[in-house]
Amino acid sequence: MDADILRLILFVSGVGLILGIYFWDRHKKINARVHAIRKAQLETADSPGAATERVDPRWSETPESEGSGEPLVGPGAVAAAHDEALEADLEQLGRVVHEPYLEAEPKRRQESFSFTAEDPDEVRDELLRDGLPCLILQINVVASNGTFSGEDILRVAGDVELEHGDLNIFHRYDTTGRRPRVIFSMASMLEPGVFPLDKMDTFRTPGLVLFGQLPGPKDGLAAFADMLFTAERLAALLEGELQDETHSVLSKQTIEHIRGRILEHRRQLQLALSKR
């Protein structure tokens, strides 16, 4: 459901609830007043001389005394006043409901603290040199049966949309801007970590290392989700297992811990940028 429609429904429901409480309170007060008047009438009827001199201090059509400065009203006038007040309340409610919906001032969106493809490399380098904290994300895909072959790596790299590029390793690019920006990369677990395209038929490695740096072209949580999904597909296609940066099994608890580190990094970035 659209957020604007949801806010309008909640607003109208709130107005209806307030008016319901208001009218219920008015009805309760009127009933209490009528009950008091009837009680006064009964007490007057039971008192001596009531048959010949019955005076209602609130409902009489004539003043109790000529010198009284407060006019007394009858039941017809009270009912008419109540009807007028009710009509005024309904008219006001109609104006509120039919007024054009004006969206409240949009809240300032929370900074994702990631550099987009619109930002030149000089801007990112300058901010990092100024002391903005940097976070490295890493996931290892380790061969279950010894090693991965170069030919299998080339095949699955295309399946998961990793492109061979700078530094002779594979990269996942963000292509939403004017020029591609690296979200994360994949290197060999063996030093120096490169994939020699001209020797991939004989190349073998015990594992792959996916790594990325924050801040980057995408929000940290989105970049990590992309990296984790890619690592899971690589492990399934190559018959490998996922490990963290310490070469321990990548458990659900470890994944949540990494997400927590990303959120903490976002907080540190916010603090650092607020001081600029």
Side-chain angles (χ1 to χ4, degrees), residues 152-162 172 233-234 237:
D152 288 341
I153 293 173
L154 282 178
R155 174 176 53 83
V156 299
D159 292 340
V160 298
E161 300 179 354
L162 292 175
R172 166 62 53 77
R233 290 189 61 194
L234 288 171
L237 294 172

Side-chain angles (χ1 to χ4, degrees), residues 181-200:
R181 297 289 297 273
V182 175
I183 302 174
F184 62 88
S185 304
M186 182 180 74
S188 170
M189 192 170 287
L190 289 180
E191 294 291 345
V194 299
F195 299 97
L197 292 183
D198 56 343
K199 300 179 181 179
M200 292 299 283

Side-chain angles (χ1 to χ4, degrees), residues 155-170:
R155 174 176 53 83
V156 299
D159 292 340
V160 298
E161 300 179 354
L162 292 175
E163 301 180 19
H164 193 271
D166 293 342
L167 304 178
N168 215 17
I169 61 177
F170 291 90

